């Protein structure tokens, strides 16, 4: 007896590739102008070699990237608070980052401090905008 058309094995579909999901030419369905900074080795490399800027309760590390779309990583250490507080801080930072223009071919690592939880959202956006737009005099850091 033949099986019903819907009962057979599914046709072979192309597997979802990581490269396709990370393709910079594909528009972001969630409207973000950046992609997540992955894998962790790139995250660490950007933190070590990038230019650090501390403004308010955040530190932004900016480094060159091979991706044409800006890449962003967000860090909230235990000193920020409980897991709930850290996740809230990271959500607030991601929302604020999506509102500011980021340079293409750059990787950003944003490090939160406990102040991120209590500052107004407008203040947080201002900190990020200032940190990203800060120019560095050659030979001098901003930290």
């Amino acid at each position: 007896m033949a099986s019903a058309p819907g009962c057979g094995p599914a046709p072979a579909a192309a597997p979802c590739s990581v490269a396709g999901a990370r393709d910079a030419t594909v528009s972001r369905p969630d409207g973000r102008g950046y992609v997540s900074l992955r894998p962790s080795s790139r995250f660490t490399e950007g933190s070590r070699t990038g230019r650090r800027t501390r403004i308010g309760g955040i530190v932004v590390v900016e480094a060159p990237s091979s991706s044409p779309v800006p890449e962003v990583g967000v860090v909230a250490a235990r000193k920020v608070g409980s897991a709930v507080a850290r996740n809230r801080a990271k959500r607030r930072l991601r929302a604020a980052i999506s509102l500011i223009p980021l340079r293409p071919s750059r990787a950003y690592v944003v490090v939160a401090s406990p102040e991120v939880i209590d500052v107004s959202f407008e203040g947080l956006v201002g900190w990020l905008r200032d940190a990203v737009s800060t120019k560095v005099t050659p030979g001098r850091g901003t930290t």
Side-chain angles (χ1 to χ4, degrees):
M1 177 177 200
S3 64
C7 296
C16 178
S17 71
V18 175
R22 302 263 307 146
D23 185 6
T25 61
V26 177
S27 64
R28 298 279 315 178
D30 57 6
R32 293 187 323 197
Y34 65 90
V35 294
S36 295
L37 183 59
R38 293 177 193 229
S40 62
S41 59
R42 295 200 32 169
F43 200 92
T44 305
E45 178 186 338
S47 295
R48 288 182 184 163
T49 62
R51 171 184 67 94
R52 292 178 179 271
T53 305
R54 179 172 177 86
I55 294 183
I58 60 168
V59 175
V60 176
V61 183
E62 182 180 348
S65 170
S66 59
S67 172
V69 176
E71 297 178 298
V72 177
V74 180
V75 178
R78 284 190 178 173
K79 69 179 181 178
V80 172
S82 66
V84 173
R86 292 192 305 271
N87 288 335
R88 180 169 186 246
K90 290 189 283 188
R91 281 194 310 271
R92 294 186 82 214
L93 284 169
R94 286 187 197 106
I97 290 166
S98 67
L99 298 177
I100 62 171
L102 299 174
R103 296 183 196 114
S105 300
R106 305 300 287 173
Y108 298 90
V109 177
V110 182
V111 183
S113 74
E115 298 168 9
V116 169
I117 299 294
D118 298 323
V119 71
S120 69
F121 187 72
E122 293 77 21
L124 187 59
V125 171
W127 286 349
L128 284 164
R129 185 174 287 121
D130 292 346
V132 169
S133 65
T134 300
K135 301 292 182 196
V136 178
T137 309
R140 303 196 63 175
T142 59
T143 343

